[in-house]
Amino acid sequence: MEKEDQLLRPVIQSRNQAVQRIKESQQQFIFVASLLDRIPNIAGLARTCEVFKAAGLAVSDASIIHDKQFQLISVTAEKWVPIIEVPVFSLKVFRKEKKREGFSILGLEQTANSVPLDQYSFPRKTVLVLGREKEGIPVDIIHALDACVEIPQLGIIRSLNVHVSGAIALWEYTRQQRSKQL
Amino acid sequence: MEKEDQLLRPVIQSRNQAVQRIKESQQQFIFVASLLDRIPNIAGLARTCEVFKAAGLAVSDASIIHDKQFQLISVTAEKWVPIIEVPVFSLKVFRKEKKREGFSILGLEQTANSVPLDQYSFPRKTVLVLGREKEGIPVDIIHALDACVEIPQLGIIRSLNVHVSGAIALWEYTRQQRSKQL
């Protein structure tokens, strides 16, 4: 047994090191998609999270990853991006937990006090809450956020798809983190 | 007739002024989506073009705007964004025409010579060619482009949806133009 232990140790160590490396290379950015209804949007976000190495994607029901439509769009992204189950009624608890871990809790929403995306400096530890497809983020949740950012929209219809909005925000976060590293 | 002419003149003038104002507020950014196959991607791009007031969206077949699925996703964007018919076999002619008008013709593609999106300074007059959903931009078209830009992708699966990629590039263009105005 002792010999087996000795043989196993390097394997376990190298696995732990690999897990550590993955964690270190992750960006400290978490999407909260618990308010979203449409599977293509949530699956699309999983894929986008993987591309930008987000630290997690919170969804209202984690069993969504077994859905055929989800799998078709996410193209296995859910195997690489931690999917966190946060039902809408648990959002407040999740917010408190993440605050304790040093995250800023932001919303992507057009409000009277929203900061335009290109004038906002993202904290390294960011949780970004996305709104429902039609109604956006409910007012009581907005009040619990540290800040809201919005994508300056120049047109007339004034509505970007929520996956696209989220992707633009995650890109802007990524761009800012990269510019700090240069 | 002369009196009617006099009465009509202010109406025509104000209409011309309105058209002029719309043109002036447009960004000098044109997407070429002629290589794309999937209607949701093209319709999504139309919607995103409207939000950022792009000057046009080139598609291989302009009758796409009558498609039910297109209309459902584009939410009337095609009424505000000029849709330009550019079949794949006409891409070279279109490129020449736009070059003559002072546009730079860029591609959004991962190649050995692509410039990362956050290190590229977009010219005010930009035509951005998007690649096919699976195969990207064919090599003969890449060779005819002024430059290629790419979105730095940190993950393992390494593929953003083409509509999302395009939206991120158009946002980055918009951000740069806005920062020049401030």
Side-chain angles (χ1 to χ4, degrees):
Chain A
M1 276 302 274
E2 205 173 89
K3 199 170 177 195
E4 204 173 285
D5 254 15
Q6 277 178 354
L7 284 171
L8 268 177
R9 207 168 296 145
V11 177
I12 292 171
Q13 274 178 350
S14 93
R15 200 189 55 186
N16 287 349
Q17 281 165 0
V19 169
Q20 189 58 31
R21 267 200 301 278
I22 288 173
K23 281 205 165 177
E24 279 168 9
S25 69
Q26 269 175 355
Q27 303 205 81
Q28 291 300 297
F29 183 102
I30 297 170
F31 266 130
V32 176
S34 304
L35 293 164
L36 272 59
D37 288 320
R38 294 197 59 240
I39 289 173
N41 286 334
I42 303 169
L45 278 166
R47 185 169 161 185
T48 299
C49 278
E50 194 279 330
V51 169
F52 291 118
K53 284 212 167 181
L57 173 65
V59 297
S60 62
D61 179 354
S63 71
I64 191 175
I65 62 166
H66 304 300
D67 181 278
K68 282 273 169 292
Q69 195 187 8
F70 181 94
Q71 291 175 348
L72 211 67
I73 296 170
S74 77
V75 280
T76 76
E78 71 280 5
K79 291 188 183 153
W80 308 96
V81 182
I83 305 287
I84 314 156
E85 182 163 292
V86 182
V88 176
F89 66 80
S90 302
L91 275 174
K92 283 189 179 163
V93 177
F94 183 71
R95 180 183 71 84
K96 272 193 192 157
E97 193 185 301
K98 289 297 152 191
K99 283 287 278 184
R100 234 184 347 253
E101 292 173 17
F103 281 86
S104 293
I105 320 295
L106 311 174
L108 185 60
E109 184 62 273
Q110 295 184 307
T111 74
N113 299 317
S114 295
V115 184
L117 187 61
D118 51 353
Q119 287 164 39
Y120 190 78
S121 178
F122 279 100
R124 197 176 67 87
K125 292 181 117 179
T126 287
V127 169
L128 187 62
V129 179
L130 302 173
R132 288 186 212 286
E133 278 85 353
K134 290 244 164 94
E135 303 88 354
I137 306 176
V139 177
D140 60 323
I141 295 179
I142 285 187
H143 286 159
L145 299 171
D146 295 319
C148 270
V149 290
E150 66 181 11
I151 298 170
Q153 308 200 2
L154 321 172
I156 291 148
I157 309 176
R158 286 178 177 278
S159 97
L160 275 175
N161 163 278
V162 65
H163 169 208
V164 171
S165 308
I168 288 174
L170 177 49
W171 158 252
E172 181 57 27
Y173 167 91
T174 304
R175 193 189 68 76
Q176 291 183 11
Q177 301 307 309
R178 280 168 58 93
S179 79
K180 285 173 195 164
Q181 285 162 12
L182 292 179
Chain B
M1 273 304 273
E2 205 174 88
K3 201 170 178 194
E4 207 174 281
D5 254 15
Q6 277 177 355
L7 285 171
L8 268 178
R9 206 169 296 145
V11 177
I12 293 170
Q13 273 178 351
S14 93
R15 199 191 55 186
N16 287 347
Q17 280 164 2
V19 168
Q20 189 59 30
R21 268 200 301 278
I22 288 172
K23 280 205 164 177
E24 279 167 8
S25 69
Q26 271 174 355
Q27 303 205 82
Q28 292 301 296
F29 183 102
I30 297 170
F31 266 129
V32 175
S34 303
L35 294 164
L36 273 60
D37 288 320
R38 294 197 58 242
I39 290 175
N41 286 335
I42 303 169
L45 278 167
R47 185 169 160 185
T48 299
C49 278
E50 194 279 329
V51 169
F52 291 119
K53 285 210 166 182
L57 173 65
V59 297
S60 63
D61 179 353
S63 71
I64 192 175
I65 61 167
H66 304 299
D67 181 279
K68 283 273 168 293
Q69 195 187 9
F70 181 94
Q71 291 176 348
L72 212 68
I73 296 171
S74 77
V75 279
T76 76
E78 70 281 5
K79 292 187 182 153
W80 308 97
V81 181
I83 305 287
I84 313 156
E85 183 163 293
V86 183
V88 176
F89 66 80
S90 303
L91 275 174
K92 284 191 179 161
V93 177
F94 183 71
R95 181 184 72 84
K96 271 193 191 157
E97 191 185 301
K98 290 297 152 190
K99 284 287 279 183
R100 234 185 346 252
E101 293 173 17
F103 282 85
S104 293
I105 320 295
L106 312 173
L108 185 59
E109 185 62 271
Q110 296 183 307
T111 75
N113 299 318
S114 295
V115 184
L117 187 61
D118 52 353
Q119 285 164 40
Y120 189 78
S121 177
F122 279 100
R124 198 176 67 85
K125 294 182 117 178
T126 287
V127 169
L128 188 62
V129 179
L130 301 173
R132 286 186 214 285
E133 278 86 352
K134 291 244 165 92
E135 304 89 354
I137 306 176
V139 177
D140 60 323
I141 296 180
I142 285 187
H143 286 159
L145 300 171
D146 295 318
C148 270
V149 290
E150 67 181 10
I151 298 171
Q153 308 201 3
L154 320 173
I156 292 150
I157 309 177
R158 288 179 177 274
S159 98
L160 275 175
N161 163 279
V162 65
H163 169 207
V164 171
S165 309
I168 287 174
L170 177 48
W171 158 254
E172 181 58 26
Y173 167 91
T174 304
R175 192 190 69 74
Q176 291 183 11
Q177 301 307 308
R178 281 168 58 92
S179 78
K180 284 174 196 164
Q181 285 162 12
L182 294 178

